[in-house]
Amino acid sequence: MKPLKKTLQHIFIAVALASGSSVSQAETMLDPSRIKMALQTAYHKYKNIKEGANANYIPILAKVDSNIFGITLVTTDGKVYSIGDTTSEVSIQSISKVFTMARVIEESGTKSISDNMGVDATGQAFNSIVAIEQYKGEEMNPMVNPGAITATSMIKGANTDAVWKTIIDTYSDFAGRKLSIDKEVYKSEAETNQRNRALAMLMHAYGRLQGDAIEATDIYTRQCSVSVNTTDLANMAATLANGGTNPVSGKKVVNSDNIDEILAVMATAGLYDDSGQWLYRTGLPAKSGVGGGILAVSPNKFGIAAISPPLDAAGNSIRAQRAITDISNALGGNPYKVIPK
Ligand code: DON
């Protein structure tokens, strides 16, 4: 935007605010020029940061280009803003857990989650055996691996193919385009997921997981291998922010009544051990994945996502955390923000 035009726009906003005109503060904060400025500022601030390292316990993730860095924000009125690399795809990994949870609630209600694996933070790593042992498979949540594999096992379907179709169709509707598996990621994780199989067997032993634990782990491994870019993730977040209807495609994906509980679990456990720190800085329900993606939801306002593979010690993308924090705070995205009368 030309400097004069921008200045005039800012004057307009200031006058509108001062005069108490019909331009609400939320609308002003989500003005297109403000959003573009926030994205540009964060992107250039963090573009050259080299901290952290790709996940390597799934061997193929270590080979993903560490320089990928992109950000997309989608407003609940369906406007899409992007900067950086928004075409490179990474595996969705743990971010998938949110959308499997959404489908389970759609099919079986919110109580099925609180009854089956719980909605509490574990205080342990996302693949902790101790977290299962301490409460015999209860008092955890669907964002950690044992809860997530149990949630996957709860998706209804006559056979494995039918369950998988429900999962990938749900993710695709959230993203607004047909998503698919990265077969190399699936193969790499399937060859090395002995720990997840152990978690699933233990959940089965405690009667939390019904059906075949190894088959549930395999479907969970497929869901983690789904390939996404920042636009896909931001659309998925924006669908939650918009009450379950994709704001770009207009398709209703899940019932609006179920969104509160999904966001509550994301806020409690979306960034694992660092969920409290994240909430303290942003107030946003969010979810990270070891592929380097993070998405976050500003209810009724926007969904935002960033991808950058290098992770911190807790397993969360460093650049994605910083960029989303800055952008959301610049745009008034924190739902806990109280605006004095
Ligand atoms: O099951 C796993 O270990 C991976 N497929 C997903 C873990 C993950 O993304 C944790 N994220 N921060």
Side-chain angles (χ1 to χ4, degrees):
M1 188 185 290
K2 298 214 169 62
L4 179 62
K5 203 168 159 204
K6 200 184 289 170
T7 308
L8 286 174
Q9 191 157 19
H10 289 158
I11 291 171
F12 166 75
I13 291 166
V15 170
L17 276 176
S19 67
S21 91
S22 58
V23 179
S24 74
Q25 185 148 359
E27 281 167 353
T28 308
M29 294 298 264
L30 290 180
D31 172 80
S33 66
R34 223 188 148 102
I35 296 176
K36 285 177 200 162
M37 179 73 79
L39 261 67
Q40 273 169 25
T41 307
Y43 178 74
H44 291 292
K45 185 169 170 193
Y46 299 121
K47 190 159 68 96
N48 296 318
I49 288 203
K50 299 281 180 218
E51 293 163 44
N54 287 23
N56 61 8
Y57 74 98
I58 300 171
I60 200 159
L61 297 186
K63 296 188 188 150
V64 175
D65 180 1
S66 304
N67 295 314
I68 296 170
F69 182 39
I71 310 164
T72 300
L73 182 148
V74 178
T75 60
T76 49
D77 56 3
K79 296 196 183 74
V80 180
Y81 302 86
S82 289
I83 191 158
D85 183 348
T86 53
T87 53
S88 288
E89 295 182 8
V90 297
S91 49
I92 189 167
Q93 296 299 340
S94 282
I95 300 170
S96 66
K97 293 165 176 168
V98 173
F99 303 96
T100 294
M101 176 194 181
R103 180 68 206 177
V104 171
I105 291 181
E106 197 70 6
E107 291 180 359
S108 306
T110 51
K111 211 168 165 298
S112 69
I113 297 288
S114 45
D115 283 355
N116 263 288
M117 75 283 290
V119 290
D120 282 310
T122 64
Q124 308 285 345
F126 60 81
N127 54 6
S128 167
I129 301 240
V130 173
I132 304 178
E133 285 296 305
Q134 64 188 354
Y135 299 115
K136 300 187 172 16
E138 296 181 319
E139 300 205 28
M140 55 168 69
N141 65 77
M143 301 297 124
V144 290
N145 291 10
I149 300 169
T150 302
T152 301
S153 79
M154 291 162 69
I155 302 276
K156 293 181 178 153
N159 51 42
T160 309
D161 286 349
V163 170
W164 174 247
K165 185 171 171 358
T166 296
I167 291 174
I168 194 70
D169 286 352
T170 302
Y171 293 8
S172 298
D173 286 344
F174 267 104
R177 76 166 176 118
K178 189 109 199 73
L179 299 178
S180 56
I181 285 182
D182 180 326
K183 292 200 175 74
E184 282 190 287
V185 173
Y186 169 73
K187 185 170 178 291
S188 183
E189 183 162 349
E191 285 168 358
T192 53
N193 68 354
Q194 292 80 7
R195 189 180 181 91
N196 280 344
R197 281 181 255 164
L199 297 174
M201 291 295 258
L202 206 44
M203 288 299 273
H204 193 230
Y206 281 126
R208 317 306 323 166
L209 187 153
Q210 307 299 325
D212 189 295
I214 299 304
E215 187 179 303
T217 312
D218 182 59
I219 300 176
Y220 164 82
T221 305
R222 290 193 217 178
Q223 80 178 43
C224 290
S225 312
V226 169
S227 210
V228 285
N229 58 37
T230 55
T231 311
D232 298 326
L233 292 176
N235 271 303
M236 295 173 102
T239 302
L240 294 172
N242 194 39
T245 297
N246 184 312
V248 177
S249 72
K251 182 162 184 174
K252 182 177 171 184
V253 188
V254 288
N255 202 313
S256 58
D257 289 348
N258 303 337
I259 303 296
D260 323 16
E261 287 85 355
I262 299 167
L263 298 183
V265 176
M266 289 168 75
T268 308
L271 269 74
Y272 303 108
D273 268 5
D274 281 353
S275 297
Q277 289 184 41
W278 169 264
L279 204 62
Y280 196 73
R281 291 196 302 266
T282 66
L284 297 182
K287 187 73 201 81
S288 63
V290 289
I294 299 183
L295 58 70
V297 178
S298 179
N300 301 307
K301 292 183 179 168
F302 59 81
I304 182 168
I307 291 177
S308 167
L311 312 177
D312 63 14
N316 300 312
S317 167
I318 292 177
R319 289 192 293 189
Q321 286 182 77
R322 292 186 190 169
I324 294 173
T325 301
D326 283 13
I327 294 166
S328 175
N329 288 340
L331 300 176
N334 187 333
Y336 298 118
K337 192 89 194 158
V338 177
I339 298 166
K341 289 199 183 94

